[in-house]
Amino acid sequence: MSRENAIARAQLYFDDGAFQDDLTRRVAIPSTSQDPAYVGALRDYLENELVGSLEALGFSCSILENSVADAGPFLIAERIEDPAALTVLTYGHGDTVRGQDDAWRDGLEPWRVVLEDGRFYGRGTADNKGQHTINLGALAALLAERGKLGFNLRVLIETGEEKGSPGLRYICNREKDNRLKADLFIASDGPRLTADRPTIFLGARGVKSIDLAVSLRDGAHHSGNWGGLLANPGIILAHALATITDARGTIQVPEWRPPLPETVRVALESIEIESSAHGPAIDPDWGEPGLTPSQRVFGWNSFEILAFTTGRPDAPVNAIPADARAHCQLRYVVGTDAAEIVPALRHHLDKAGFPMVEVANPPRGDLGASRIDPDDPWVKWSIASIARTTGRAPAVLPNLGGSLPNDIFSVDMGLRTIWVPHSYAACSQHAPDEHMLASVAREGLEIMAGLFWDLGETPTLPR
């Protein structure tokens, strides 16, 4: 019985095809939360797929209904070996984005796993079925080798993450002293820094949706008869947007400019972001001056215009439009007052001479910013475990550049949060041809088997 044997069992789970079998079965369930026609598949994924897998590992399982109407249920699984021992909470989501069936390239489709050129293609392979399949496979390897975990484990799987996790905050706050009570949080989602470098991140940037609109009159009017007499809402909104950042995207709203703590700055010194063959080229002169690329995406805020419409872009006519709209978002880090994001913008636009621009925060799945201190003892413990398994230190990101419901776990529940991602940035998640790299999946199994083994031998670190 040894750590090395547990890792070898995890490797065999991948090498003999069992991982692909499990992944194939799970991807085949079209559990997209973004299409009401598939709502039954959300429950099917939990009840008919994960419950059986977890019960086989000695977990007791409960399906909890969602407090939000028309939102998918939750699965809580528990294996409590010693009530006095360390208790870990892990998390995943069984829902996916829409399949986009017609947009996948020839030979591929969303609900069927295809292994090609070292990639597992299929909807959910990277986000998030493949990632929690890796973690469950590593747990099975540990139990087969040791016969027990050596710690307590609670598993939470939701089915609404791709819709902004409706009901998750309520269920976590309701159960944080009961079925979700834990000392530490370890889970997997999101991408590694690069495909070949193991990574941990300690939180996530928040996201605040912001809609801007200029509505001046009813109906459009001929641009020949009225041009020069009627204000153009598209022009007004464009100029208003231009006050929010400068020409290189530097944020001009003072309340949106966060502090950059020294521990975060130090943690990001060794993090280099480079363009990859499968990703877009990085624009070196974009964003906050004086910050490195890693500090801009992991330690700072960014304002993005997601869509801008005025008139009829698909069929322009010779008319001054009646209104203009922009759908925007602020990705923000800890140190930004979330409650003041929209009021600060309102004040900024009024001061800049744009009181006619309407500002709204639509219900599109806002998430809070969160991270734990990079100097936390559990962070150092995680680094040491992964380095012992892989022979190299992982990249440590204070927070993910994207957004996850991590603030529920770290802020509401008060847990230290360690994320160990098993994907990479060019995985095409949320797009056609989503895939997981086979090399990352296999190494992920090794990392998690080693990490779970070490948890069973580490009862004395701070909780």
Side-chain angles (χ1 to χ4, degrees):
M1 184 177 71
S2 69
R3 186 181 196 273
E4 291 71 23
N5 285 348
I7 293 173
R9 288 178 183 272
Q11 293 169 332
L12 181 61
Y13 169 66
F14 182 90
D15 294 342
D16 70 3
F19 169 77
Q20 183 174 350
D21 291 343
D22 286 346
L23 184 62
T24 297
R25 197 173 59 251
R26 290 167 185 166
V27 168
I29 300 172
S31 52
T32 170
S33 59
Q34 297 183 341
D35 188 337
Y38 292 94
V39 64
L42 300 177
R43 184 176 298 274
D44 183 31
Y45 187 77
L46 300 184
E47 290 185 345
N48 298 322
E49 175 55 39
L50 289 191
V51 166
S53 297
L54 285 160
E55 287 180 343
L57 298 179
F59 286 80
S60 59
C61 298
S62 303
I63 302 293
L64 281 67
E65 300 304 321
N66 203 311
S67 61
V68 178
D70 301 321
F74 302 91
L75 167 64
I76 294 179
E78 302 174 87
R79 180 175 169 129
I80 306 300
E81 297 183 348
D82 178 0
L86 177 76
T87 301
V88 178
L89 173 64
T90 190
Y91 158 89
H93 63 91
D95 66 313
T96 71
V97 298
R98 291 181 177 86
Q100 300 171 298
D101 303 48
D102 297 336
W104 292 57
R105 68 169 172 81
D106 290 345
L108 302 179
E109 55 189 85
W111 312 117
R112 180 172 64 93
V113 168
V114 173
L115 177 58
E116 179 184 287
D117 296 329
R119 299 179 177 186
F120 293 104
Y121 287 93
R123 178 62 79 219
T125 51
D127 187 18
N128 173 261
K129 294 178 179 181
Q131 301 217 38
H132 60 252
T133 295
I134 287 170
N135 293 355
L136 294 179
L139 286 170
L142 168 65
L143 288 167
E145 178 64 20
R146 181 185 269 159
K148 63 178 182 178
L149 296 176
F151 58 97
N152 305 316
L153 183 62
R154 290 185 160 112
V155 179
L156 171 62
I157 306 292
E158 68 160 313
T159 56
E161 196 269 350
E162 301 297 359
K163 290 182 64 177
S165 298
L168 179 63
R169 191 178 303 275
Y170 172 81
I171 208 76
C172 286
N173 279 286
R174 192 187 79 182
E175 298 291 339
K176 67 181 179 181
D177 295 321
N178 188 15
R179 285 179 284 190
L180 295 179
K181 187 175 182 179
D183 304 301
L184 176 69
F185 176 95
I186 297 178
S188 300
D189 203 353
R192 290 179 167 194
L193 179 65
T194 60
D196 60 353
R197 186 173 184 185
T199 299
I200 63 175
F201 60 86
L202 314 177
R205 284 203 292 187
V207 59
K208 178 72 75 173
S209 298
I210 301 170
D211 280 359
L212 302 180
V214 177
S215 300
L216 299 183
R217 60 189 67 89
D218 293 330
H221 295 272
H222 193 282
S223 58
N225 297 334
W226 296 97
L229 300 176
L230 298 182
N232 188 305
I235 293 174
I236 292 172
L237 185 53
H239 281 273
L241 288 165
T243 72
I244 299 174
T245 76
D246 67 9
R248 60 172 287 161
T250 307
I251 289 174
Q252 303 296 299
V253 181
E255 295 86 348
W256 291 7
R257 298 178 59 79
L260 185 59
E262 186 61 23
T263 54
V264 175
R265 187 183 294 273
V266 170
L268 293 174
E269 283 180 351
S270 63
I271 302 300
E272 296 184 6
I273 301 178
E274 300 176 350
S275 299
S276 69
H278 304 289
I282 293 172
D283 296 312
D285 297 323
W286 184 259
E288 182 69 22
L291 299 184
T292 66
S294 64
Q295 290 168 345
R296 291 173 191 164
V297 73
F298 301 123
W300 201 252
N301 295 349
S302 66
F303 174 74
E304 306 297 341
I305 301 171
L306 307 181
F308 186 134
T309 58
T310 188
R312 299 177 59 186
D314 55 336
V317 296
N318 293 324
I320 301 168
D323 53 38
R325 300 183 181 278
H327 301 283
C328 311
Q329 68 178 199
L330 183 72
R331 297 277 181 173
Y332 66 96
V333 297
V334 170
T336 306
D337 187 344
E340 289 300 314
I341 289 174
V342 172
L345 180 59
R346 175 73 275 163
H347 175 73
H348 168 83
L349 292 173
D350 289 345
K351 186 178 178 181
F354 295 100
M356 74 293 292
V357 176
E358 303 168 21
V359 181
N361 174 214
R364 282 206 297 266
D366 287 357
L367 294 169
S370 59
R371 62 179 170 225
I372 64 172
D373 193 323
D375 285 341
D376 187 277
W378 276 113
V379 177
K380 297 181 184 299
W381 176 91
S382 302
I383 294 170
S385 175
I386 294 173
R388 181 181 176 189
T389 300
T390 65
R392 58 197 193 280
V396 180
L397 307 179
N399 49 257
L400 184 67
S403 299
L404 292 168
N406 187 73
D407 65 307
I408 296 174
F409 306 116
S410 67
V411 179
D412 292 16
M413 300 179 70
L415 297 174
R416 293 175 168 100
T417 51
I418 309 290
W419 294 82
V420 187
H422 307 314
S423 185
Y424 76 123
C427 67
S428 298
Q429 70 181 93
H430 295 191
D433 304 347
E434 178 183 345
H435 60 274
M436 168 176 276
L437 293 179
S439 59
V440 172
R442 191 176 191 275
E443 186 174 61
L445 283 161
E446 297 167 355
I447 287 171
M448 299 309 292
L451 192 148
F452 288 141
W453 180 276
D454 293 342
L455 279 172
E457 297 187 336
T458 315
T460 58
L461 277 180
R463 300 184 186 181

